[in-house]
Amino acid sequence: MLWDQHACAELVETADLSELHRYRPAGGGLVSLNVGFSPHPPELTASLLDAFRAQVERIDGLALAASVDDVDRIAAAGDTAVVFDLEDAGPLGGDLDAVARLVAAGVRTLGPVYNHANAVGGGCLDPVDEGLTPWGRDLVHELNRSGMVPDGSHVGARTSMDICAASSRPVVFSHSNMRGVWEHPRNLTDDQARAAADTGGVVGITGVGIFLGPNTPTLEAMARHLEYAVELVGIAHVGVSTDFSFDWQTFRVELASSPELYDASYTAWGPVEWMPPETFIGLGAALRQRGWADTDVAAVLGGNFRRVARQSWEPLG
């Protein structure tokens, strides 16, 4: 099973989700599709969820998954299971009760801060990170209770460490690479990766060129980050995500038009390049050529994120 923990369609109701068929040559798996980030109010995220869910239900070869058993069944048929994720707590509108409603609609992962500080805590692009706020701590507890996985990608280092300390269930970094391989503010320190592993969580190495190296979205670059992470935290705590933007042209425009959301590290090596699904689905073969055992490849390509889902998706009583 190939489990892509984070990918991005255009955040409009008319986005063409048939693009997810580009994963099908992998032979079945899961894609977590982003459905909102920091500028989005709750009503826009709700509208996007409705539109995306309806479209997935219409497209042959895609299917919504409400449980890990659903994922297994869909993937075994050679199809792509779809769940959703959010980047930032903004789409919650300050309402902790919104978490359970979003889980019911298929949102299974929340990164509570997108680059810059909000009511939860600090972002990875902030010069100062004051750490998790009291409301942020309440949010982590509600995520644990409702069956949504806390995600440290885009979150400031101190706040992400606080999230790991506060969570009673696994914490992931769904799409973040290793700062020990390539220095970038979106990448993780060794301590952040260890903190996630200590919760039973997973670091998801991603295929965005500027996070892998100097805009190098190659399988070789991805393998270097994977091998560093495995050496650091162990094979059970490393996974993958493309962070591929199916609307990459739109995202490049957004980088230019919304400088308040990003910084110069996003454009220092020219227009951002992504690893497309057609390249990503060859990762397993590339790792085997580097001497990886089949069991380790299976763990990283999907088994580890599947385990986190099995441990986290059921609401607590």
Side-chain angles (χ1 to χ4, degrees):
M1 181 190 303
L2 185 63
W3 186 299
D4 185 348
Q5 185 56 41
H6 179 74
C8 304
E10 187 172 7
L11 292 173
V12 295
E13 294 178 356
T14 55
D16 181 9
L17 301 192
S18 67
E19 289 268 27
L20 297 182
H21 279 155
R22 293 166 67 179
Y23 292 90
R24 293 196 76 180
L30 174 142
V31 177
S32 180
L33 193 62
N34 178 255
V35 73
F37 76 130
S38 53
H40 288 172
E43 55 272 20
L44 179 54
T45 291
S47 178
L48 289 170
L49 267 170
D50 287 345
F52 283 13
R53 287 177 61 86
Q55 193 175 159
V56 168
E57 289 177 336
R58 291 194 302 268
I59 298 174
D60 182 57
L62 304 182
L64 298 168
S67 67
V68 176
D69 289 343
D70 286 346
V71 176
D72 291 345
R73 172 181 51 78
I74 294 162
D79 293 334
T80 301
V82 179
V83 295
F84 303 102
D85 61 68
L86 288 171
E87 296 178 298
D88 203 78
L92 302 180
D95 180 9
L96 293 178
D97 291 338
V99 173
R101 294 194 296 270
L102 288 164
V103 167
V107 179
R108 306 315 308 235
T109 312
L110 171 69
V113 183
Y114 187 80
N115 289 349
H116 296 291
N118 62 14
V120 173
C124 66
L125 300 185
D126 290 327
V128 177
D129 176 6
E130 300 289 350
L132 192 65
T133 67
W135 190 81
R137 190 172 303 275
D138 290 343
L139 174 59
V140 172
H141 295 162
E142 183 59 25
L143 296 175
N144 291 160
R145 189 192 70 80
S146 298
M148 191 183 294
V149 179
D151 183 357
S153 289
H154 291 280
V155 180
R158 179 177 172 184
T159 297
S160 69
M161 299 283 282
D162 289 348
I163 289 171
C164 290
S167 182
S168 63
R169 301 178 101 169
V171 175
V172 302
F173 287 89
S174 65
H175 56 295
S176 292
N177 294 342
M178 302 305 300
R179 200 170 292 193
V181 177
W182 175 247
E183 181 66 32
H184 192 284
R186 267 281 285 112
N187 288 349
L188 305 180
T189 66
D190 289 0
D191 285 345
Q192 287 175 283
R194 291 190 190 101
D198 286 346
T199 71
V202 173
V203 172
I205 300 301
T206 186
V208 179
I210 58 171
F211 307 148
L212 286 167
N215 225 355
T216 52
T218 65
L219 292 175
E220 181 180 354
M222 197 172 196
R224 287 198 299 269
H225 284 265
L226 285 167
E227 289 168 351
Y228 183 96
V230 168
E231 179 68 22
L232 181 71
V233 298
I235 193 69
H237 302 291
V238 181
V240 288
S241 66
T242 57
D243 195 11
F244 182 69
S245 290
F246 289 95
D247 63 327
W248 57 268
Q249 299 100 326
T250 302
F251 186 78
R252 285 180 177 175
V253 171
E254 183 176 299
L255 281 173
S257 62
S258 303
E260 71 280 2
L261 294 176
Y262 307 100
D263 70 3
S265 68
Y266 277 71
T267 54
W269 300 276
V272 180
E273 301 289 344
W274 287 265
M275 179 181 292
E278 291 80 4
T279 300
F280 180 62
I281 61 178
L283 179 60
L287 294 176
R288 292 184 186 94
Q289 289 176 355
R290 295 172 74 94
W292 283 50
D294 287 347
T295 53
D296 290 348
V297 171
V300 166
L301 292 191
N304 292 334
F305 274 125
R306 180 189 178 279
R307 171 182 52 78
V308 168
R310 180 69 80 182
Q311 295 171 339
S312 304
W313 283 7
E314 287 296 321
L316 296 173

